[in-house]
Amino acid sequence: EVQLVESGGGLVQPGRSLKLSCAASGFTFSSFAMAWVRQAPKKGLEWVATITSGGSNTYYPDSVKGRFTISRDNAKSTLYLQMDSLRSEDTATYYCARRDTTVSHYFDYWGQGVMVTVSS
Amino acid sequence: EIVLTQSPTTMAASPGEKVTLTCRASSSVSYMHWYQQRSGASPKLWIYETSKLASGVPNRFSGSGSGTSYSLTINSMETEDAATYYCQQGSSYHYTFGAGTKLELK
């Protein structure tokens, strides 16, 4: 059974940093691209970052580019999101998601999410 | 960036009613994917590659479309279908979601 379990969320002050983790199990982690998707309170879904299976390529939307860094440790089957220079608008539930292996790029499994609150 | 516009924003349907949700893209995309999110839960893949049902999705659901216009249809609304549905495109490694359609039970 595929499982994605996020951790590392919490309350952080504006301008500070936080690192999220996502522990994967039930599949060959190193064979899949992975992503982070967030959801602000009462809002819709927003893609935050993607990393290819080997970790050599990463992609971000303009809203987080230069502030967030996605990485992975295939030996530990763990995905990370380093979030720097946090802003109040980064307050959201952050989901770890597995991306499919085809060219159509959808997210077939999601974690339960971890809440990040940016506030002074 | 490809913008996805979903309509309606909110709707209510009675049990047995046919429901159609739409998603329009600002530029042509090859596929559209749909997710269901029930209140307080994580999103679930519902329809992928425009018309393929994810595992466990009832066959009263269907998806169709091409280019810039896509839709999700429920043949006969059931209680458990009340949720928010999001469309998503996966072109050029930069992904976008629609704002969602909240489907309620009438």
Side-chain angles (χ1 to χ4, degrees):
Chain A
E1 179 196 3
V2 172
Q3 284 202 314
L4 300 170
V5 180
E6 303 94 336
S7 61
L11 174 64
V12 61
Q13 292 179 328
R16 304 297 292 264
S17 299
L18 198 65
K19 188 171 186 176
L20 305 182
S21 299
C22 171
S25 61
F27 65 102
T28 304
F29 182 72
S30 59
S31 296
F32 288 84
M34 298 294 295
W36 290 95
V37 177
R38 69 183 179 184
Q39 186 171 35
K42 304 291 187 185
K43 299 294 185 182
L45 302 171
E46 180 187 17
W47 164 70
V48 170
T50 301
I51 186 167
T52 51
S53 57
S56 56
N57 293 298
T58 57
Y59 305 89
Y60 307 91
D62 289 344
S63 58
V64 307
K65 198 169 189 177
R67 300 189 300 122
F68 288 12
T69 303
I70 188 172
S71 62
R72 64 192 296 160
D73 184 334
N74 284 345
K76 294 183 177 179
S77 296
T78 302
L79 178 72
Y80 303 101
L81 184 68
Q82 175 69 43
M83 303 185 292
D84 298 323
S85 304
L86 282 161
R87 307 167 179 167
S88 57
E89 55 263 38
D90 296 319
T91 294
T93 296
Y94 285 74
Y95 296 101
C96 164
R98 190 181 85 168
R99 205 196 69 190
D100 74 293
T101 55
T102 71
V103 297
S104 57
H105 295 188
Y106 53 88
F107 305 112
D108 56 2
Y109 288 93
W110 298 63
Q112 85 287 352
V114 63
M115 185 67 201
V116 172
T117 302
V118 183
S119 174
S120 55
Chain B
E1 173 185 303
I2 297 176
V3 176
L4 301 181
T5 303
Q6 290 189 243
S7 60
T9 303
T10 307
M11 70 172 293
S14 302
E17 186 177 345
K18 184 173 182 177
V19 172
T20 299
L21 313 181
T22 65
C23 178
R24 287 194 163 76
S26 59
S27 301
S28 181
V29 297
S30 301
Y31 298 105
M32 193 62 70
H33 316 299
W34 295 86
Y35 301 85
Q36 181 197 68
Q37 186 177 35
R38 293 199 175 110
S39 181
S42 303
K44 287 184 180 179
L45 178 66
W46 213 244
I47 294 174
Y48 64 100
E49 294 175 355
T50 303
S51 59
K52 298 176 182 177
L53 301 186
S55 178
V57 174
N59 61 11
R60 61 180 177 273
F61 283 86
S62 63
S64 63
S66 65
T68 61
S69 184
Y70 293 84
S71 63
L72 178 157
T73 298
I74 307 173
N75 217 26
S76 177
M77 175 76 179
E78 295 201 7
T79 305
E80 64 186 27
D81 301 337
T84 300
Y85 294 85
Y86 295 94
C87 57
Q88 176 249 323
Q89 64 80 27
S91 300
S92 305
Y93 289 89
H94 280 70
Y95 312 131
T96 50
F97 291 87
T101 291
K102 186 174 183 179
L103 176 60
E104 299 172 326
L105 191 67
K106 195 185 291 182

